[in-house]
Amino acid sequence: MVVRRPGDPPITPALVAEHGLTDEEYARIVALLGRPPTFTELGVFSALWSEHCGYKNSRPLLRLLPTQAPWVLQGPGENAGVIDVGDGWAVAFKIESHNHPSAVEPYQGAATGVGGILRDVFTMGARPIALLNSLRFGELDGPDADRVRYLLAGVVKGIGDYGNCVGVPTVGGEVAFDDAYAANPIVNAMAIGVLRREHLVRAVAAGPGNLLLVLGARTGRDGIHGATFASAELDEAAAERRPQVQIGDPFTEKLLLEASLELVERRLVVGLQDMGAAGLVSSSAEMAARAGTGVEIEITCVPTREPGMTPYEILLSETQERMLAVVPTENEAAVREVAAKWGLEAATIGRVTDTGRYVVREQGRVIVDLPGEPLVRGCPTYTRPAREAPEVIARRRWRLEELRPRPEEADPAWTLRRLLDAPTIASKRWVYEQYDSTVRTGTVRGPGAADAAVLRLRGTRRGIAAAVDGNGRYVYLHPYRGAQIAVAEAARNVACVGARPRAVTDNLNFGNPLKPEAYYALRQAVHGLADACRALELPVISGNVSLYNESPRGAIYPTPVVGVVGLLEDVEAALGLGFQEPGDVVLLFGENRPELGGSEYLKTIHGIVAGEPPEVDLAAERLLHELLVGLTAEGRLRSAHDCAEGGLAVALVESAIADPARPLGLDIVLEDDLPLTALLFGETQGRVIVSCAPDQVGAVETRARELGVPVRRLGTVGEPFGRVRIRAPGAGVDAAAAELSTIYENALPRRLDRAPTEADAAGVAEEARG
């Protein structure tokens, strides 16, 4: 018999709506229980049936994604996915979002996003070895610049402080700037860990009679209803939701990490689960559902840091740095000893049952009694009405013939300088130098050095490579193709260091799915992801969905972010993006085409977001991967860099000035019969710029032709501090390498020349209020 607690509010339609449940969903709950839920039970359903936990609008679409391959040890449905990398080793990885929290409290929002994704990895028994991130903000030039600076500075500091304190290097990522993200930044964090196969542990509450133990921080009131907050638009009340943003403690996280790994290695636990979104209720209910068991919890046994906390608050709190462990009775004392060794509190709060029910007691009185399976797996799912936005259709009709060049563009060097100064293209050194990218000494290629991060697999000659990519502008204009490009570019970046792409984790950042235009973009993008991953034989082993990324100003660009992890047989062979020696030969793999739609050139030079994004040939991409992996293994290349934002000219310059202390000249000749602007700045996919010693050119060209990859010689690398010359039909670029390097390196620092102030923070609050 469920006891209704004195002081709990009556269940009214307004209260149900406040919990993010529709009238139909509430009626379903009443029918399921055969009675109205109590206030605490309403909170439980609200959390587990939110979009953040229940994936009610995305689950039917996610079933389209390929998830299996012979090397997949754990696919979606656990804290992180895991792949086999040989010699008894495995790699766990996942990406997640902390968009809404970062919009209202950028430092803690970003910091706790890092903490959460780290816990997702080490709960699998894997030691985290790397962090990456994908960030989107508004424009740094214009009326929102102060606000953007405040958000950017807070997010970057939050990421850096948390990762640096835990001792996990931040080795890669991306940062983009567009007005579409002005009110709702995107903050996605990815973590990678390594483990021995035999140490793989899953988040299951198996074995009736086993105990539930809470490890780590005491439970507080921070983060209550964080999952529900992340499943709604950022409206006029967003600035008042700072209490729903968790507070991070990286020093406790480090202790929890070490304790958890020791518990796994000593085989003291049956299962582990991070208390992330929806806190204790989510972790305990999901672990039971995976095992087909039930749980009973005595809520007064949960250690709290604030007096008078109610069961509702304790169950839904998202206090950070907490872990739920399922422990055989005979191991309870040993688990407590391990926790004490690492300075952590461990409390037994309940047990696993064979009833299949989710039961919570308060001093022995039952205050929650719910069927476990429907609570976790019975969240209603929806296929929403979908239609493409007429505005997008109209924008996509734009054609290259409509372009009216500015007078300054008569000198392509002017355009090149403008693009190198564009924040999305420019050097991100200002960002990544705030991160420790070399702690633990496993980083072979870190931020800014290569198209993908490269890390050692200790005890082997092998390495792993990882990259994150996504272009919201492409997806806005063409959701299906834009999502395919995200997969293709992330995989291509991994191949550029010489690694073979093996698996994907994705983060789907979209608007309100109840709006047909947003749901259309989500649906088409997932189809694009699925088809691209199948074509490239890349299983999706983990991920996250972040919807309702909207504010009174409108929705973000639909932004799927794709993380790809690959395997490098010889880590010492890993390539960087920078040219190495004067006299080296520069070659292009792939073909140039007259494609400018959705480009950074159109946005930066003309303020236009329009046109068809570039075509993507996935079969050609696979051949390109084979070529790059093979040539790297044979030691025939000195560098490799893919052509992305800004096109061919920007990619060439980025490789020439990769080392700002020694920018190299270039002597390039382009002979394509294409419009000059498209040739220099178009973003045609499937292209990689490589360099090699002169005596390797013949072998490189022969291997490319054998695989059917187009190849051509572009020119040679020049002397340090020489001139960059790119000659093309009709015009060309002639500029000092040092000048271009200065523009590229100073673009962010000159816009971020002061620290954010309290006035900036007040501006965020005012913006959120509309």
Side-chain angles (χ1 to χ4, degrees):
M1 181 77 179
V2 177
V3 175
R4 297 180 183 274
R5 300 184 73 255
D8 281 353
I11 307 300
T12 64
L15 187 66
V16 171
E18 184 181 325
H19 279 72
L21 295 165
T22 66
D23 292 342
E24 294 77 13
E25 289 165 350
Y26 179 71
R28 186 168 177 167
I29 292 168
V30 172
L32 180 66
L33 301 182
R35 58 175 174 81
T38 65
F39 175 61
T40 303
E41 289 173 332
L42 181 68
V44 169
F45 271 106
S46 167
L48 292 180
W49 282 18
S50 67
E51 179 65 40
H52 196 75
C53 293
Y55 293 89
K56 62 176 70 175
N57 293 294
S58 53
R59 191 183 298 274
L61 296 172
L62 298 179
R63 296 190 183 105
L64 299 170
L65 299 173
T67 60
Q68 298 181 339
W71 52 89
V72 174
L73 301 179
Q74 177 62 59
E78 278 284 346
N79 288 305
V82 184
I83 60 173
D84 189 343
V85 294
D87 299 324
W89 289 99
V91 172
F93 60 95
K94 187 183 182 183
I95 192 169
E96 275 212 359
S97 63
H98 242 214
N99 302 339
H100 281 53
S102 300
V104 299
E105 185 59 62
Y107 180 86
Q108 291 294 348
T112 52
V114 171
I117 199 64
L118 286 172
R119 291 192 296 279
D120 281 341
V121 164
F122 68 74
T123 55
M124 305 300 296
R127 177 171 292 280
I129 62 168
L131 289 160
L132 298 91
N133 52 71
S134 179
L135 312 176
R136 305 284 190 287
F137 300 95
E139 302 279 7
L140 281 169
D141 299 305
D144 293 318
D146 285 350
R147 181 175 187 276
V148 173
R149 278 196 293 265
Y150 167 76
L151 292 172
L152 173 63
V155 165
V156 170
K157 185 169 174 55
I159 290 171
D161 284 359
Y162 204 100
N164 297 354
C165 290
V166 177
V168 179
T170 299
V171 297
E174 58 170 359
V175 189
F177 300 87
D178 195 287
D179 190 58
Y181 306 100
N184 200 139
I186 298 301
V187 179
N188 291 178
M190 177 178 171
I192 304 171
V194 295
L195 68 155
R196 298 296 297 176
R197 285 190 56 166
E198 63 267 22
H199 290 156
L200 175 59
V201 64
R202 294 176 170 86
V204 293
N210 286 337
L211 303 176
L212 302 179
L213 272 75
V214 171
L215 306 172
R218 286 181 163 244
T219 298
R221 289 189 168 95
D222 50 316
I224 293 174
H225 271 307
T228 309
F229 171 40
S231 304
E233 292 184 18
L234 287 170
D235 58 17
E236 65 279 356
E240 301 169 7
R241 295 181 176 177
R242 294 192 181 202
Q244 293 177 353
V245 179
Q246 309 93 325
I247 306 299
D249 178 358
F251 301 104
T252 299
E253 177 99 346
K254 174 62 173 174
L255 299 175
L256 186 61
L257 185 162
E258 298 298 343
S260 298
L261 293 182
E262 182 172 342
L263 293 174
V264 170
E265 290 169 8
R266 292 177 55 182
R267 303 183 188 280
L268 295 177
V269 296
V270 173
L272 276 176
Q273 171 102 338
D274 162 41
M275 285 195 241
L280 174 59
V281 67
S282 175
S283 56
S284 54
E286 289 176 0
M287 291 180 82
R290 291 189 188 106
T293 59
V295 294
E296 290 188 358
I297 294 171
E298 173 53 61
I299 202 69
T300 58
C301 291
V302 178
T304 59
R305 66 169 180 244
E306 300 180 45
M309 288 187 68
T310 67
Y312 180 102
E313 293 172 324
I314 295 170
L315 284 171
L316 297 181
S317 167
E318 294 184 8
T319 293
Q320 297 292 284
E321 294 87 37
R322 298 179 301 159
M323 197 70 66
L324 184 65
V326 178
V327 180
T329 304
E330 62 271 20
N331 293 346
E332 181 182 11
V335 170
R336 290 178 180 274
E337 289 174 5
V338 171
K341 169 186 171 181
W342 292 102
L344 298 173
E345 190 169 9
T348 302
I349 66 166
R351 64 186 180 92
V352 180
T353 69
D354 60 4
T355 65
R357 298 193 70 79
Y358 187 79
V359 178
V360 180
R361 289 184 167 86
E362 183 182 26
Q363 296 180 337
R365 297 171 300 177
V366 176
I367 57 171
V368 173
D369 188 354
L370 304 172
E373 180 72 16
L375 178 63
V376 175
R377 307 197 191 282
C379 175
T381 59
Y382 303 98
T383 299
R384 303 292 186 182
R387 66 170 178 267
E388 188 168 18
E391 175 196 1
V392 174
I393 297 172
R395 286 178 179 271
R396 201 166 54 242
R397 292 191 181 120
W398 182 91
R399 293 294 179 264
L400 180 58
E401 295 75 23
E402 299 177 39
L403 183 64
R404 298 294 178 264
R406 297 173 55 165
E408 300 94 331
E409 293 184 72
D411 177 10
W414 178 88
T415 307
L416 177 60
R417 291 183 180 99
R418 288 289 299 272
L419 288 173
L420 292 174
D421 184 60
T424 293
I425 289 177
S427 169
K428 306 307 184 296
R429 193 178 306 275
W430 184 92
V431 173
Y432 63 70
E433 284 192 343
Q434 297 184 53
Y435 308 148
D436 190 333
S437 61
T438 59
V439 64
R440 301 188 59 83
T441 68
T443 307
V444 177
R445 291 282 185 268
D451 283 2
V454 180
L455 300 131
R456 301 180 190 278
L457 283 174
R458 296 190 186 279
T460 77
R461 290 184 58 84
R462 296 177 175 178
I464 56 173
V468 291
D469 270 295
N471 187 313
R473 196 181 303 135
Y474 287 168
V475 183
Y476 167 72
L477 291 168
H478 197 307
Y480 178 83
R481 189 184 301 166
Q484 288 194 315
I485 290 173
V487 176
E489 184 172 352
R492 191 185 318 127
N493 283 334
V494 165
C496 277
V497 299
R500 186 176 302 280
R502 299 304 271 169
V504 160
T505 183
D506 62 6
N507 206 122
L508 306 181
N509 306 280
F510 286 78
N512 185 343
L514 305 183
K515 298 178 180 179
E517 295 81 5
Y519 188 78
Y520 174 86
L522 173 65
R523 186 187 69 187
Q524 291 300 105
V526 172
H527 277 280
L529 290 172
D531 289 349
C533 288
R534 286 193 185 89
L536 297 178
E537 202 175 355
L538 290 172
V540 180
I541 66 166
S542 61
N544 178 64
V545 178
S546 174
L547 305 184
Y548 299 95
N549 287 289
E550 302 205 15
S551 72
R553 294 179 58 158
I556 64 165
Y557 284 150
T559 310
V561 172
V562 174
V564 171
V565 170
L567 184 62
L568 191 67
E569 291 298 329
D570 183 358
V571 72
E572 298 302 328
L575 296 173
L577 66 85
F579 296 140
Q580 298 297 303
E581 297 295 335
D584 279 355
V585 178
V586 179
L587 301 98
L588 175 67
F589 294 151
E591 294 184 312
N592 298 318
R593 294 194 296 270
E595 297 175 307
L596 275 177
S599 66
E600 190 69 23
Y601 162 82
L602 282 183
K603 175 66 168 56
T604 298
I605 305 301
H606 296 278
I608 295 173
V609 177
E612 290 269 2
E615 298 279 353
V616 57
D617 184 338
L618 296 169
E621 295 279 357
R622 287 195 68 168
L623 295 175
L624 183 59
H625 298 171
E626 290 296 325
L627 178 62
L628 290 166
V629 170
L631 291 174
T632 303
E634 295 168 9
R636 299 194 183 278
L637 300 179
R638 289 252 175 89
S639 69
H641 182 34
D642 87 312
C643 296
E645 287 85 1
L648 181 60
V650 166
L652 285 164
V653 172
E654 287 175 334
S655 290
I657 64 174
D659 180 359
R662 185 176 174 262
L664 296 168
L666 271 179
D667 192 358
I668 300 295
V669 177
L670 304 176
E671 298 177 340
D672 305 70
D673 184 18
L674 296 175
L676 181 63
T677 300
L679 174 61
L680 293 177
F681 308 116
E683 296 173 5
T684 293
Q685 298 295 295
R687 297 180 298 168
V688 171
I689 294 165
V690 301
S691 66
C692 63
D695 62 357
Q696 295 294 329
V697 174
V700 170
E701 291 177 329
T702 297
R703 182 63 176 144
R705 292 183 182 116
E706 287 174 351
L707 283 172
V709 176
V711 59
R712 71 181 73 184
R713 301 187 199 191
L714 299 183
T716 57
V717 178
E719 295 295 325
F721 298 95
R723 297 195 70 79
V724 171
R725 295 185 176 92
I726 305 174
R727 287 170 283 180
V733 171
D734 188 344
E739 178 208 0
L740 299 180
S741 177
T742 298
I743 293 170
Y744 184 75
E745 294 293 338
N746 288 348
L748 284 187
R750 75 175 178 81
R751 291 173 170 90
L752 300 166
D753 58 357
R754 67 173 179 82
T757 67
E758 288 300 320
D760 296 329
V764 173
E766 183 64 30
E767 176 70 28
R769 284 191 288 270

Coordinates of all heavy atoms in Angstrom, one line a residue, residues 214-219 252 256 303 305 319-323 344-345:
V214 N 25.4 3.4 -2.8 CA 25.7 4.8 -3.3 C 27.1 5.1 -2.9 O 27.5 5.0 -1.8 CB 24.7 5.8 -2.8 CG1 25.2 7.2 -3.3 CG2 23.3 5.6 -3.4
L215 N 27.9 5.5 -3.9 CA 29.3 5.9 -3.7 C 29.5 7.4 -4.1 O 28.9 7.8 -5.1 CB 30.2 5.0 -4.5 CG 30.1 3.5 -4.4 CD1 31.0 2.9 -5.4 CD2 30.5 3.1 -2.9
G216 N 30.3 8.1 -3.4 CA 30.7 9.4 -3.9 C 30.1 10.5 -3.1 O 29.9 10.4 -1.8
A217 N 29.7 11.6 -3.8 CA 29.2 12.8 -3.1 C 27.9 12.6 -2.4 O 27.1 11.7 -2.9 CB 29.1 13.9 -4.1
R218 N 27.6 13.4 -1.4 CA 26.3 13.4 -0.8 C 25.3 14.1 -1.7 O 25.6 15.0 -2.5 CB 26.3 14.1 0.6 CG 27.0 13.2 1.6 CD 27.0 13.9 3.0 NE 27.3 12.9 4.0 CZ 26.5 12.6 5.0 NH1 25.3 13.2 5.1 NH2 26.8 11.7 5.9
T219 N 24.0 13.7 -1.6 CA 23.0 14.2 -2.5 C 22.5 15.5 -2.0 O 22.2 15.7 -0.8 CB 21.8 13.2 -2.6 OG1 22.3 12.0 -3.1 CG2 20.7 13.7 -3.4
T252 N 36.5 15.3 -6.4 CA 35.7 14.1 -6.0 C 35.6 13.1 -7.1 O 35.6 11.9 -7.0 CB 34.4 14.5 -5.4 OG1 34.5 15.3 -4.3 CG2 33.5 13.3 -5.0
L256 N 36.4 9.2 -7.3 CA 35.3 8.2 -7.7 C 35.8 7.4 -8.8 O 35.5 6.2 -8.9 CB 34.1 9.0 -8.0 CG 32.8 8.2 -8.3 CD1 32.4 7.4 -7.1 CD2 31.7 9.1 -8.8
P303 N 22.8 9.2 1.7 CA 23.4 10.4 2.4 C 23.0 11.7 1.7 O 23.2 11.8 0.5 CB 24.9 10.0 2.3 CG 25.0 8.6 2.0 CD 23.7 8.3 1.2
R305 N 23.4 16.1 1.8 CA 24.2 17.2 2.4 C 23.4 18.4 2.9 O 23.9 19.4 3.3 CB 25.2 17.7 1.3 CG 24.7 18.3 0.1 CD 25.8 19.0 -0.7 NE 25.3 19.6 -1.9 CZ 25.6 19.2 -3.1 NH1 26.4 18.2 -3.3 NH2 25.1 19.9 -4.2
T319 N 22.8 15.8 -8.3 CA 24.1 16.1 -7.7 C 25.2 15.2 -8.5 O 25.0 14.1 -8.7 CB 24.1 15.8 -6.2 OG1 23.2 16.7 -5.6 CG2 25.5 15.9 -5.6
Q320 N 26.3 15.9 -8.7 CA 27.3 15.2 -9.5 C 28.2 14.3 -8.7 O 28.1 14.2 -7.4 CB 28.2 16.2 -10.2 CG 27.4 17.1 -11.2 CD 27.0 16.4 -12.4 OE1 27.8 16.1 -13.3 NE2 25.7 16.0 -12.5
E321 N 29.1 13.5 -9.4 CA 30.1 12.7 -8.7 C 29.5 11.6 -7.8 O 29.9 11.4 -6.7 CB 31.1 13.5 -8.0 CG 32.0 14.4 -8.8 CD 31.3 15.8 -9.2 OE1 30.7 16.3 -8.3 OE2 31.5 16.3 -10.3
R322 N 28.4 11.0 -8.3 CA 27.8 9.9 -7.5 C 27.7 8.7 -8.4 O 27.5 8.8 -9.6 CB 26.4 10.3 -7.0 CG 26.3 11.4 -6.1 CD 24.9 11.7 -5.7 NE 24.1 12.1 -6.9 CZ 22.7 12.0 -6.9 NH1 22.1 11.6 -5.8 NH2 22.1 12.3 -8.0
M323 N 27.8 7.5 -7.8 CA 27.7 6.2 -8.5 C 26.8 5.3 -7.8 O 26.8 5.3 -6.5 CB 29.1 5.6 -8.6 CG 29.3 4.6 -9.7 SD 29.1 5.2 -11.4 CE 30.6 6.2 -11.4
L344 N 36.0 8.3 0.1 CA 34.6 8.4 -0.3 C 33.6 7.7 0.7 O 34.0 6.8 1.4 CB 34.4 7.7 -1.7 CG 35.2 8.3 -2.9 CD1 35.0 7.5 -4.1 CD2 34.8 9.8 -3.1
E345 N 32.4 8.2 0.7 CA 31.4 7.7 1.5 C 30.7 6.6 0.7 O 30.4 6.7 -0.5 CB 30.4 8.7 1.9 CG 29.4 8.3 2.9 CD 28.6 9.5 3.5 OE1 28.7 10.6 3.0 OE2 27.9 9.3 4.5

